Amino acid sequence: MFDASDATSTADALTLAATAQPRHDWRLDEIEALFALSFNDLLFHAQRVHRAHFDPNAVQVSTLLSIKTGACPEDCKYCPQSGHYSTGLGKEKLLEIEKVVEQAEAAKAAGASRFCMGAAWKSPREKDLEAVLEMVRRVKALGLETCMTLGMVDNGQAGRLAEAGLDYYNHNLDTSPEYYGEIITTRTYADRLETLGHVREAGMKVCSGGILGMGEAPRDRAALLQQLVRLEPHPESVPINMLVKVPGTPLEHVEDLDPIEFIRAIAVARILMPKSHVRLSAGREQMNESTQALAFLAGANSIFYGERLLTTANPQAQLDRALFAKLGLHPERRDTCVDDTQVQARVQTRVEAEIEADLARRASRQAAARASELAYDASSASVD
Ligand code: SAM
Ligand code: DTB
Ligand code: SF4
């Protein structure tokens, strides 16, 4: 029979281990066991892991800008920018550098700490790269962290981006290796892993995650997370997108994913990648406040802020500010997010002590229960 205390202690052991030393060898059945926990247990474990590594009320805030829009040669079935589908989206060529800088200044003034620039390319062309490098230099000079997502990059391109001062490169695995072929046929999973390798080798931070709600099975969500944890080190930033269903794309009418399943995936990502920022990424415009609050409770600690993602809507800034106030959240300050090692060490020690005390209490409760069962058996035997 199913024994809830066994499930909880397995999760205790797994999450304790994950907190002490991030792992890269999670088996699919272990990840699925985390997904299968009762929702309350899963969120409790995720929150414990979260508190061991982060200020639980700080949320990293990035703003996105599409620097080159539409007419993309790739056939990603979720994407409004693919040239393979008619989504009514206008095509725009690479933005002028000054326009990008203007938008970055506005994002900084509104409170963003990172500026992410996205281009609808298979990979950057040499003639565009010089302008892109200048964008990185100019945005960086404003005191913002920089992030770009330009499609596949080779070693040389990654090196030049890093040299220009690019902090993060975003390149998502999107889904499990098994489901991938249902979604994209013009580039392979191996291509994506290769780009991530080039980004790492160039010394940039990796931003990689996926999209949920594309009709994938629960096992695909677990397998996507397994692929992400295999990356060494774990990606510093893990965007978890809820599919934004755009009319004209092949996934326009796919069945909605239950928000609880989405929250489970965030919690499992938090447990598996304890030191990574997990971003509650696309899809917030379609989510209510309660779902977003649950995502933060599950360990999400990053968002896109500003009323546009790349081509689709994101919540208005004033609504996000009101939500932060309601939940007692605050934007993460750049200078305290990674380097405040003393605070992190104190939090880590305290949480590990709490976890050990909790495990000891559980063991003593189980011992007491066993002793009383034995006493009961002995007394029934003497009555017989
Ligand atoms: N063209 C580049 C590439 O794909 O490598 C960069 C831009 S692309 C739009 C960045 C990411 O946005 C995709 O990998 C995908 O995960 C996400 N995305 C695109 N369309 C989406 C949608 N409709 N809903 C949720 N996420 C989406
Ligand atoms: C990511 O994982 N999500 C962002 C960012 N990385 C580039 C993009 C979301 C795009 C949603 C659809 C759109 O606005 O075009
Ligand atoms: Fe192109 Fe990126 Fe959209 Fe795929 S996700 S179609 S590569 S812009």
Side-chain angles (χ1 to χ4, degrees):
M1 206 182 77
F2 174 75
D3 180 345
S5 66
D6 277 356
T8 310
S9 49
T10 305
D12 270 334
L14 291 175
T15 53
L16 182 61
T19 302
Q21 187 59 50
R23 286 174 49 194
H24 301 278
D25 61 349
W26 285 85
R27 296 191 317 270
L28 198 58
D29 64 301
E30 288 179 314
I31 300 175
E32 288 182 309
L34 290 175
F35 270 98
L37 285 172
S38 90
F39 191 67
N40 285 347
D41 286 342
L42 176 59
L43 260 65
F44 172 69
H45 288 299
Q47 183 62 207
R48 263 198 328 197
V49 171
H50 190 45
R51 281 167 188 264
H53 296 282
F54 292 101
D55 169 349
N57 299 308
V59 176
Q60 188 278 327
V61 170
S62 293
T63 292
L64 258 178
L65 176 69
S66 179
I67 57 170
K68 189 268 160 187
T69 306
C72 182
E74 304 287 293
D75 69 351
C76 313
K77 285 203 173 101
Y78 48 76
C79 187
Q81 303 202 65
S82 167
H84 295 254
Y85 319 121
S86 303
T87 59
L89 188 71
K91 174 188 166 187
E92 285 171 30
K93 54 183 187 2
L94 188 61
L95 283 186
E96 284 163 30
I97 296 171
E98 293 309 324
K99 290 226 169 88
V100 174
V101 175
E102 243 171 59
Q103 296 289 321
E105 278 168 341
K108 188 183 177 193
S113 64
R114 189 177 310 157
F115 194 64
C116 304
M117 294 157 268
W121 287 326
K122 184 182 187 74
S123 53
R125 285 176 305 184
E126 187 52 39
K127 77 174 181 63
D128 293 318
L129 199 60
E130 264 317 313
V132 162
L133 296 174
E134 186 58 13
M135 288 174 193
V136 173
R137 292 183 204 107
R138 296 280 303 275
V139 172
K140 182 111 176 147
L142 299 175
L144 284 162
E145 287 183 316
T146 51
C147 175
M148 283 198 160
T149 177
L150 314 170
M152 296 186 285
V153 286
D154 62 25
N155 257 326
Q157 293 170 324
R160 287 163 73 191
L161 287 163
E163 230 168 76
L166 189 62
D167 297 302
Y168 289 80
Y169 195 83
N170 167 241
H171 198 63
N172 291 338
L173 292 180
D174 278 350
T175 188
S176 68
E178 295 75 21
Y179 195 59
Y180 185 85
E182 299 291 318
I183 303 295
I184 300 135
T185 68
T186 48
R187 74 165 69 134
T188 66
Y189 216 78
D191 288 335
R192 288 184 186 250
L193 290 168
E194 194 176 86
T195 287
L196 291 177
H198 295 149
V199 170
R200 245 323 154 221
E201 275 168 43
M204 287 182 284
K205 292 181 187 144
V206 169
C207 173
S208 188
I211 311 179
L212 311 185
M214 298 194 293
E216 74 283 351
R219 198 180 179 86
D220 294 308
R221 293 190 278 278
L224 164 66
L225 295 181
Q226 186 189 30
Q227 290 296 322
L228 292 169
V229 294
R230 281 192 182 161
L231 301 172
E232 293 193 41
H234 292 158
E236 282 78 5
S237 166
V238 181
I240 306 289
N241 296 280
M242 180 72 113
L243 175 70
V244 179
K245 296 184 202 176
V246 179
T249 60
L251 295 183
E252 172 183 1
H253 297 299
V254 74
E255 202 182 319
D256 278 342
L257 178 67
D258 183 337
I260 296 293
E261 290 309 309
F262 182 80
I263 301 300
R264 280 183 184 278
I266 289 197
V268 175
R270 164 52 60 228
I271 293 167
L272 301 185
M273 293 170 278
K275 296 184 178 175
S276 307
H277 279 77
V278 175
R279 181 173 304 126
L280 170 57
S281 196
R284 288 198 305 118
E285 173 71 359
Q286 291 75 23
M287 269 172 217
N288 61 27
E289 286 191 338
S290 309
T291 302
Q292 294 185 60
L294 278 177
F296 295 127
L297 189 64
N301 60 348
S302 170
I303 58 164
F304 283 123
Y305 171 71
E307 55 206 44
R308 276 205 104 51
L309 290 165
L310 289 171
T311 67
T312 64
N314 198 41
Q316 293 193 342
Q318 73 202 44
L319 291 180
D320 277 343
R321 283 196 295 271
L323 180 62
F324 271 36
K326 211 188 269 193
L327 301 178
L329 299 175
H330 57 86
E332 182 183 82
R333 282 181 38 215
R334 254 189 86 177
D335 53 349
T336 57
C337 64
V338 198
D339 300 328
D340 201 348
T341 41
Q342 280 189 335
V343 173
Q344 289 212 357
R346 277 202 300 277
V347 172
Q348 169 107 13
T349 311
R350 181 172 54 72
V351 172
E352 279 175 6
E354 273 173 22
I355 293 173
E356 270 168 34
D358 199 40
L359 285 172
R361 273 196 301 277
R362 189 185 306 284
S364 95
R365 273 203 308 273
Q366 282 171 349
R370 264 199 305 279
S372 82
E373 268 172 30
L374 285 175
Y376 176 79
D377 288 349
S379 70
S380 336
S382 67
V383 170
D384 293 346

